[in-house]
Amino acid sequence: MTLARRVATGLAGMLALFVVAGLVETGYAGVPTATLARMSGSPLSVEITKVSPALRIGRSLALAGTVSNPGTVHWQDARVYLEVAFTPATTPTGLDQLAAVPVGAPFGHTVTDPHGVVAVGNVPPGQQRPFSLSVPYRWLAISGAAGAYRVGVEVVASNGDPTSVDNVVHAGTLMPLLPSNGPIVPAQTVTLLPITGTVKRLLGGVFADDSLAASISFGGRLRDILDWAIRASTDTVQVVVDPALLVAITDMSHGYRVQSPQSATASVPGMGRTQAISWLNDFEHLTEQQHVLLMPWGNPAANTLLRDQLPGPVVASIRASRGFLPTHGYAAGVAGWLVDGRSGIRAVTVMHHAGADLQIVSEASLPDIAANEDASGATPPLLEVPFRHRHIPMLVTAPTLAGFQTAPKTTALQFRQRLIADAAVRSLSGETDQITVTALPFTWDPGPAVPGSEFASAFRVPVIVAQSALGAVDRPGHLYRGLVRPGATGVQPISTAILSEIHAYRIAGGNLASILHTSVIDQRKFDRTFAMCGSTEWRRYPALGVRLIAQQAEAALGRLAKVAVTGPPFVAMSSNSGRFPLTVTNGLNHAIRVKLVVTPANPALKVAPIPDVILGAGQRRDIQVVSTADGSGVTSVRARLATLQGARFGKGWRFDVRATQIGLVIWVVMGAGGTVLFVAAGYRIVNRLRGGQTPRRQAQL
């Protein structure tokens, strides 16, 4: 290469570096990270895994994380710089402005102190390098005003090509700086943690796969959630758990079997018993530390079900959860909480009427919420919806936290820092009487527990105090007269095939549950099964949902077929009233209570009321049916069994009844003739006894 070409190449590279440096220095957000990455090949990624909960005047800022290379370029000489904004956000609007900066874009200024940079060296493809920074407060070069500061890191690396632009990536978080003097009044917050998962169980309790075992094992989502919650300070997290999940994991802890619905082979033992025992032990420990509510059984797709005129699974989900309460004293009640709070007005009213203690609704489901905002623009956490001369309380969850939406992949550290920053701004603004209700997503995964990111450290910062859900609603609510609608869910609707199978099970399973005469246990079993038929999980697994619900419906029909009524093929009545026998057979291993409904085709034949029929397991009984006829002739009669609510089921028994009605005059004539014959015969017998001879012999003499 000639000297001139070398000089030209060097100048071009320097010019490119100056351009990028200018963009970074000015904090220009118009060039997203993806654009910078295309300038220099596949990018690095950086994640902050540990940071001080808050800035302290006179104390060093500690921050740590990892630099990863998910691409194929070998990055060299990677360096991590501390970034910090000069001024803080002091209002909710200021937090929104900080959150509006694209994720990964540069912000603030780079700390030039040697403590503010650390070299991590080369980062080969597929590898990562840890880093740690500790910067004295005097080198942060911030205004020192109280509020929430944007703090983060900038990573710069080279691919070894002098003609290319260095790789530049950013990551940031929020850190509050508290005033150095004066009292601090903490802000109240409710942190809702949903614990729910997919339960795939075949008829008889066999699991359709072992995915639940993976979720409660190390590295699984449900394991991560429990590890995060169990490290929180006492009474700082409001747990809302799906009891269907708890029952499934409990059954796993006793030993369970797995069989694929498509497989013709026998079931095999599940592999998660040990993990289930460990998870349940930790969950019991969690219930001793935190407030617990139950969500509707099986997490029903209530909005879709009610739109398609299927309220049964929704009602059953609340009843099943309420039936779970008496034997699990750690739960304080049932919350009508659908996925991420997306509830419509019908779902709210149906769940409330079925027995839910409170409704948890996202602010996104309340399009007219602006009319209820206070002078500061904040939404009251408790609203009441008027419905049929009553008010239904709703706990309203905020759509964002410190200006950010909490996503399923939001890390535990990000969530903690946003919660502290939000509380700090509210505390500094004097909005401490207003409760913020923040809800983690139903599919949230905080990731493995990392030292330094514990949720408990948030409550060592004196700007925040925790509140429970029931404690938040224990105060007057604001009347909300607007719409309540779920909005766009971004998921596929429940298939028509599943809705059809739910219809079938509602009839068969409902009839079966209503005739069982043992105890409320059988009704609770039906409620649990019926609630699972409407689970929102079948959006993700439609084919499996159809199969499982169809199995339940077929099984219920098979059991109903064991309860039958039979009788004679023909009955003859020689008068205007009579009796005929019908036999009711119970082939179930449970006692039953049914109605026997006898319906003549001709209304001239009337059947007397028949008492309810109660049969023990495996018993049969003959029932004498009393009937009356207004005339003579043959009519068809059908006998059927029905539930106590009047729903008929099973095959009926059809037979004919012949009624022969003789007139009153004929009966009088026949009676009078019989009387004359009887008197004449008696008279002749008496005369014989008196004369000692027959009348014929006297005539011959």
Side-chain angles (χ1 to χ4, degrees), residues 310-366:
L310 277 172
V314 183
V315 175
S317 68
I318 300 296
R319 282 204 310 243
S321 292
R322 294 211 65 84
F324 189 84
L325 284 172
T327 54
H328 299 80
Y330 54 75
V334 178
W337 193 16
L338 303 183
V339 175
D340 297 335
R342 297 180 182 272
S343 295
I345 185 61
R346 292 194 64 193
V348 167
T349 55
V350 168
M351 289 188 293
H352 175 76
H353 184 72
D357 296 288
L358 77 157
Q359 305 292 320
I360 300 175
V361 180
S362 169
E363 188 176 314
S365 295
L366 307 174

Side-chain angles (χ1 to χ4, degrees), residues 213-220 223-224 227 275 448:
S215 186
I216 62 176
S217 301
F218 178 77
R223 182 72 255 179
D224 290 346
D227 289 343
Q275 292 84 347

Side-chain angles (χ1 to χ4, degrees), residues 153-230:
V153 294
E154 174 188 272
V155 179
V156 180
S158 170
N159 63 3
D161 184 355
T163 64
S164 66
V165 179
D166 285 350
N167 192 329
V168 181
V169 292
H170 303 261
T173 186
L174 296 172
M175 296 181 68
L177 176 64
L178 306 184
S180 57
N181 52 24
I184 298 176
V185 180
Q188 301 179 73
T189 185
V190 177
T191 302
L192 297 170
L193 174 66
I195 301 182
T196 182
T198 304
V199 177
K200 310 173 189 173
R201 305 195 73 174
L202 304 172
L203 194 65
V206 177
F207 286 76
D209 58 35
D210 225 358
S211 58
L212 189 53
S215 186
I216 62 176
S217 301
F218 178 77
R221 188 182 70 85
L222 291 176
R223 182 72 255 179
D224 290 346
I225 287 176
L226 196 55
D227 289 343
W228 176 83
I230 208 168

Side-chain angles (χ1 to χ4, degrees), residues 202 208 259-265 543-545 547 551:
L202 304 172
Q259 181 181 22
S260 172
Q262 293 80 22
S263 175
T265 59
L544 179 61
R547 187 180 184 92
Q551 284 183 347

Side-chain angles (χ1 to χ4, degrees), residues 415-458:
F415 179 75
R416 185 194 74 181
Q417 292 305 115
R418 293 170 186 175
L419 192 71
I420 299 173
D422 177 82
V425 167
R426 288 193 290 128
S427 176
L428 295 173
S429 303
E431 301 174 11
T432 56
D433 58 338
Q434 186 78 340
I435 299 177
T436 292
V437 182
T438 179
L440 290 157
F442 272 46
T443 56
W444 184 57
D445 188 349
V450 178
S453 64
E454 295 87 352
F455 192 61
S457 59

Side-chain angles (χ1 to χ4, degrees), residues 89-96 425 429:
T90 57
T91 64
T93 302
L95 288 174
D96 292 339
V425 167
S429 303

